[in-house]
Amino acid sequence: MATPKVIHPQINDYLPNTFEDLKDIKNRPDEWKIEQGLSGAQLPFIDQTGKEPIAIHPSKPAVPTKDDDAIKAVGDPNELFQMERPGWKGYVEWEAYPEKKKQGHKILTSQNFPPNPEFQMGPIPDTNPVLPGTHWKMWHHALGGELTDVPEDSWKTVLKEKHPEMLHLLQFPYNGEPPKRLVTDKAITPNSLHFVRNHGGIPLIDQDKFSFTMDGLVKNPTEFTLADLMDESRFPRVEKYVTIQCSGTRRIEQISLYPGQGDEVPQAPWAEGAIGTAKYVGISLKKVIKACGGLINGGKHLEFYGADTYFKDNEVMNYLVSVPWSKVKANEVLLAWEMNGEPLPAIHGYPLRVVVLGYIGARSVKWLYRIKAIENPTLAPVQSKEYLYFNQQIGKFNQSPVDGIQIQEMPVSSAIMSPWTKQVIIHNGKINCKGWAYSGGGRWPERVELSADGGFSWYAVPLENLSEKRKWTWRTWSFDLPCDVEGWVEIVCRCWDNSLNTQPLTVRAAWNWGLHVTSSAHRISVYSVNKTRAKTAEKLKKFAETGSPLAPLTWPEEFPNITWDAYKKFWAENEPRDVDE
Ligand code: MTE
């Protein structure tokens, strides 16, 4: 076998760099990592229930299989799963055709797909896109027909509509957020930087061919075009600033503590950017229901249908969720076609989306094509099997959907966008911090507090440093946090909303198996280099004078702090370290 390539001759000379050298080493090279919990996915389970403990090693990936005959017998995908309506590229209707759902299920269960890459118990790949969404691409391709091009078309839309600096957490279905420095750069998030959370592909819909249906338990089921909805003589126009937040925001903190269950899509490793604020223009859904003669026969919930295709447990469906009538009645549910003065971008639901004020983002359905009035909350999986907040002690082998609270209003939360954890900050006694604060359900941030000592003492951010107060939006903030320390400090941020709710202090306190709603106070560790200290200032001057490199922090200090003469003088003038009896 060839000798591994020498990259740094000087360093490599000291390494066991031939396989010959390694022949007597018996353990696997990553063993110490496994033992130290740095590579948890490789760690065997230990079954202690028998006489002797048994190690159960991670399964080998199943070899993909495919029953071509069974798949062929289902029929021609181009006919089965064809475009539902002209001008609606990528839209397959599932909900109206139970037979078609069965055919999709048959195709999916007639083959095996390779397992997802492990990222929660191993290192998260350092690529952008971070995760590829291989399963989801494969499922779309496996069904074929109108879904064939959806993964590729969706990625093209991402590249066209989103900022080049977006962090693509998941390529397909697309999940992306802005980098930290751009999350709160503006109190109103530019469209290209607004986070995106998709469960399926992006349908590309012609506005001219668009209409949506309101039916179910309403007196007069009606179809509306966009022009109908925009007709101000029928529907008063509503303009609202709204923050949409995904319940996955800041999930990375929960993953870093303990992983949970889930494949790439429900468990995308969101940072603090799965939240954004925009001005939406549209109408109140209440008026549309009124135009349909109102609810009848016990209609109490509104089920929203999105034109994208969603996969769950080998079942195929459209994206469906519901909200209660009480929310609609309060004029807190909008049908919107404009975002920050522009038509909705395709990626955000063009031509029409729901915007539910103060609820988890999952209820704000994009690419809306139908609203059905129903008696009870929808049983559709996005509502009934996902976005559940489990008790901490419910683990993989115990949980059932009825154990989870359906997440609806997001609790009060906040995050520090600058500086970043492990960053070295050189300052004059104050560290400038920036971030956001938000509370769901129509509550708003009243006070943002920061601590430079891990949460023992708190400074309130002055009101003039907070962005405008509104009922349905976040507030961005900036603050010069007093910090006398030289060395590591833990900066913590928390918010108090107008109901005096505040945040739990640790991630563990609110950690949950579904890894949703990371509402704990946001903590970052930074290294404070405090120039108001004479010695620090002197040292920095020396680095500057000699042109010496300051970074990285872990390099040994270049200039001694004390001369031998001064050292000896100190001990001459002071007691020795050890004491004579
Ligand atoms: N609507 C449809 N049709 N499909 C989706 O995948 N995702 C929901 C919601 N509406 C989704 C959807 C979720 S979970 C969130 S957080 C918001 O859209 C995100 O909205 P945005 O992508 O416009 O930021």
Side-chain angles (χ1 to χ4, degrees):
M1 197 171 268
T3 307
K5 214 168 116 196
V6 174
I7 302 164
H8 276 292
Q10 309 91 319
I11 292 175
N12 243 40
D13 286 346
Y14 298 91
L15 294 175
N17 64 357
T18 67
F19 286 101
E20 192 55 27
D21 292 335
L22 297 172
K23 74 178 186 316
D24 292 330
I25 295 176
K26 293 281 181 278
N27 53 347
R28 44 191 289 182
D30 54 351
E31 189 158 329
W32 70 273
K33 271 191 169 181
I34 299 170
E35 289 175 353
Q36 294 305 323
L38 300 173
S39 205
Q42 307 301 321
L43 202 58
F45 289 13
I46 303 292
D47 180 356
Q48 298 185 341
T49 56
K51 268 197 182 146
E52 295 291 330
I54 302 172
I56 303 166
H57 288 274
S59 310
K60 291 245 166 11
V63 179
T65 57
K66 198 170 175 188
D67 184 343
D68 285 318
D69 293 339
I71 294 170
K72 239 190 192 153
V74 177
D76 176 1
N78 291 325
E79 282 169 22
L80 295 174
F81 312 129
Q82 52 182 265
M83 185 187 268
E84 178 68 16
R85 297 169 66 170
W88 290 53
K89 190 160 193 284
Y91 163 44
V92 175
E93 170 60 29
W94 299 101
E95 303 309 315
Y97 310 114
E99 189 53 30
K100 196 151 92 177
K101 282 190 168 192
K102 279 191 199 146
Q103 289 157 334
H105 178 71
K106 179 75 192 158
I107 293 175
L108 293 172
T109 49
S110 298
Q111 54 195 309
N112 268 337
F113 297 90
N116 272 313
E118 165 59 43
F119 63 94
Q120 293 196 54
M121 289 192 100
I124 292 180
D126 45 8
T127 50
N128 189 21
V130 179
L131 302 169
T134 310
H135 268 178
W136 295 71
K137 291 174 188 167
M138 286 181 151
W139 291 335
H140 276 71
H141 292 152
L143 295 194
E146 185 61 19
L147 297 182
T148 311
D149 295 337
V150 166
E152 289 71 23
D153 282 353
S154 295
W155 182 240
K156 280 185 203 151
T157 305
V158 172
L159 297 179
K160 191 166 126 200
E161 294 189 341
K162 299 318 278 185
H163 196 281
E165 289 179 63
M166 285 291 275
L167 303 175
H168 310 302
L169 297 174
L170 183 65
Q171 187 178 29
F172 183 77
Y174 183 69
N175 281 226
E177 64 183 310
K180 276 188 208 273
R181 66 183 177 80
L182 296 177
V183 173
T184 46
D185 193 37
K186 300 203 163 66
I188 306 302
T189 318
N191 289 352
S192 67
L193 284 168
H194 196 283
F195 83 99
V196 178
R197 199 284 181 247
N198 287 346
H199 292 69
I202 302 165
L204 300 169
I205 304 170
D206 279 358
Q207 185 173 318
D208 298 346
K209 302 277 165 43
F210 175 80
S211 65
F212 93 95
T213 309
M214 171 88 231
D215 64 1
L217 303 175
V218 285
K219 194 158 178 223
N220 308 308
T222 311
E223 191 168 331
F224 297 91
T225 62
L226 211 55
D228 293 332
L229 303 181
M230 288 174 170
D231 180 352
E232 288 192 77
S233 66
R234 293 181 68 187
F235 300 110
R237 202 60 64 90
V238 179
E239 192 179 291
K240 278 254 179 304
Y241 287 95
V242 183
T243 292
I244 293 184
Q245 186 187 21
C246 184
S247 63
T249 318
R250 295 177 50 204
R251 172 173 292 134
I252 189 72
E253 293 165 56
Q254 292 203 51
I255 294 180
S256 308
L257 189 61
Y258 311 115
Q261 182 176 5
D263 69 15
E264 294 174 283
V265 175
Q267 302 304 15
W270 292 107
E272 308 84 10
I275 183 167
T277 301
K279 186 173 83 177
Y280 294 93
V281 172
I283 55 176
S284 171
L285 173 58
K286 184 181 179 182
K287 306 283 183 209
V288 179
I289 294 173
K290 203 170 161 205
C292 295
L295 298 176
I296 53 162
N297 301 338
K300 263 197 153 165
H301 293 261
L302 286 309
E303 190 177 49
F304 305 136
Y305 289 58
D308 42 342
T309 293
Y310 184 56
F311 293 83
K312 177 91 184 166
D313 304 333
N314 286 320
E315 307 287 348
V316 183
M317 62 205 87
N318 297 107
Y319 184 93
L320 263 67
V321 292
S322 69
V323 297
W325 162 242
S326 55
K327 187 78 180 161
V328 179
K329 199 173 151 199
N331 287 311
E332 290 172 6
V333 181
L334 312 181
L335 304 184
W337 55 79
E338 200 181 290
M339 183 176 180
N340 289 331
E342 292 168 14
L344 276 178
I347 208 163
H348 291 292
Y350 179 89
L352 190 67
R353 82 174 294 170
V354 180
V355 177
V356 183
L357 314 182
Y359 270 14
I360 176 183
R363 308 288 180 251
S364 292
V365 172
K366 306 191 272 192
W367 316 292
L368 181 74
Y369 71 92
R370 181 182 181 194
I371 298 179
K372 186 178 173 192
I374 52 177
E375 261 178 87
N376 296 303
T378 181
L379 295 177
V382 176
Q383 185 106 0
S384 63
K385 291 191 179 170
E386 283 180 23
Y387 297 103
L388 299 175
Y389 195 83
F390 289 107
N391 170 270
Q392 289 197 3
Q393 298 302 321
I394 295 280
K396 180 169 176 169
F397 303 110
N398 273 260
Q399 66 164 1
S400 98
V402 291
D403 296 321
I405 303 169
Q406 288 187 2
I407 305 165
Q408 204 82 298
E409 293 180 356
M410 292 294 282
V412 62
S413 172
S414 61
I416 303 163
M417 293 295 95
S418 154
W420 305 338
T421 227
K422 299 259 159 74
Q423 200 153 40
V424 177
I425 308 293
I426 303 168
H427 60 94
N428 282 320
K430 287 181 177 173
I431 297 181
N432 181 256
C433 303
K434 292 190 171 79
W436 55 259
Y438 173 69
S439 190
R443 292 170 294 273
W444 56 85
E446 270 295 336
R447 189 197 296 151
V448 176
E449 293 180 337
L450 274 99
S451 166
D453 58 8
F456 187 76
S457 53
W458 297 88
Y459 294 88
V461 174
L463 292 180
E464 63 269 24
N465 289 15
L466 286 161
S467 66
E468 200 176 321
K469 179 155 73 180
R470 295 192 195 90
K471 187 159 183 184
W472 305 107
T473 69
W474 70 4
R475 298 179 81 176
T476 55
W477 52 265
S478 112
F479 183 51
D480 288 328
L481 176 66
C483 176
D484 175 54
V485 175
E486 174 82 14
W488 286 107
V489 290
E490 193 178 21
I491 301 182
V492 197
C493 164
R494 73 178 176 192
C495 172
W496 296 83
D497 71 12
N498 60 313
S499 302
L500 295 190
N501 296 308
T502 193
Q503 306 175 239
L505 287 179
T506 62
V507 176
R508 174 67 232 188
W511 184 93
N512 61 100
W513 180 244
L515 306 177
H516 283 291
V517 190
T518 316
S519 59
S520 48
H522 191 207
R523 291 172 181 271
I524 58 163
S525 298
V526 302
Y527 192 91
S528 151
V529 177
N530 190 347
K531 238 176 151 177
T532 63
R533 291 177 175 237
K535 274 197 177 158
T536 305
E538 200 181 300
K539 191 59 67 70
L540 290 176
K541 207 167 140 227
K542 203 158 218 167
F543 275 90
E545 279 166 10
T546 53
S548 300
L550 269 177
L553 179 69
T554 47
W555 280 0
E557 164 65 293
E558 228 184 305
F559 307 104
N561 274 330
I562 190 166
T563 61
W564 271 114
D565 285 347
Y567 182 81
K568 283 185 209 151
K569 184 164 175 274
F570 175 87
W571 289 118
E573 287 170 1
N574 290 280
E575 298 287 355
R577 181 195 174 278
D578 298 312
V579 180
D580 289 334
E581 280 294 330

